[in-house]
Amino acid sequence: MPHQAEILAVGTELLLGSITNTNAQFLSELLASAGIDVLYHTAVGDNPRRLRAAVETARGRCDLLVFTGGLGPTYDDMTKETVAEAFGLALEYHPEVMEEIQCYFDNVFHRPMPACNRRQAMLPQGCRFLGLCKANAYGHGAAVIGHT
């Protein structure tokens, strides 16, 4: 039986209509091409309490949860902290993430990396760094018993 997935897009700008959720479309196409059934798309604002509730709902109906948004370095980017807490995971420092972000600032921006970007090297315990993509966003995957 194929995995059943839910894509959770985090960002108040999605709910206000300020931007289109193109990440959900891209991820749906990617997952479908891998034989994974995407059953739900959920958009939730930058609010830890509502995100936690969305995670609990998604955990009850799908075995694969995919998060997009809220992974940056600013104070309102709280996806990984909230999701880690929902799964009972601590955040841990990943030097390989810090190294890639530092290289990105050195080679693309040609300026010092702001201190706030160091937050991006803190990932949920046991997850695997998937690498940087466009801008200085990154991906990571984590497996939790009973959920991927």
Side-chain angles (χ1 to χ4, degrees):
M1 181 174 174
H3 284 290
Q4 296 181 326
E6 179 159 351
I7 297 170
L8 294 101
V10 181
T12 302
E13 64 277 11
L14 296 169
L15 299 176
L16 295 176
S18 302
I19 65 166
T20 303
N21 190 358
T22 56
N23 286 350
Q25 178 186 8
F26 170 76
L27 291 167
S28 287
E29 290 173 352
L30 188 67
L31 293 168
S33 71
I36 297 170
D37 295 332
V38 177
L39 303 185
Y40 302 95
H41 284 190
T42 298
V44 61
D46 296 308
N47 179 289
R49 184 180 52 77
R50 288 192 294 267
L51 177 55
R52 174 88 187 234
V55 170
E56 293 304 323
T57 298
R59 285 178 76 177
R61 62 189 184 188
C62 290
D63 65 337
L64 177 64
L65 310 183
V66 179
F67 297 89
T68 180
L71 296 169
T74 61
Y75 73 93
D76 64 335
D77 292 316
M78 47 46 157
T79 299
K80 68 183 171 198
E81 291 87 348
T82 303
V83 172
E85 181 182 296
F87 281 92
L89 299 171
L91 295 179
E92 60 187 10
Y93 179 72
H94 283 248
E96 71 278 18
V97 176
M98 188 76 272
E99 185 177 319
E100 283 209 34
I101 293 171
Q102 184 64 61
C103 285
Y104 191 85
F105 273 88
D106 292 345
N107 298 321
V108 176
F109 291 139
H110 305 289
R111 64 180 171 88
M113 181 187 71
C116 65
N117 285 85
R118 297 187 196 294
R119 286 185 66 212
Q120 293 178 286
M122 299 298 292
L123 304 180
Q125 189 175 29
C127 79
R128 185 171 53 103
F129 177 54
L130 303 176
L132 291 176
C133 56
K134 292 181 181 178
N136 68 332
Y138 61 91
H140 58 275
V144 178
I145 297 172
H147 292 78
T148 304

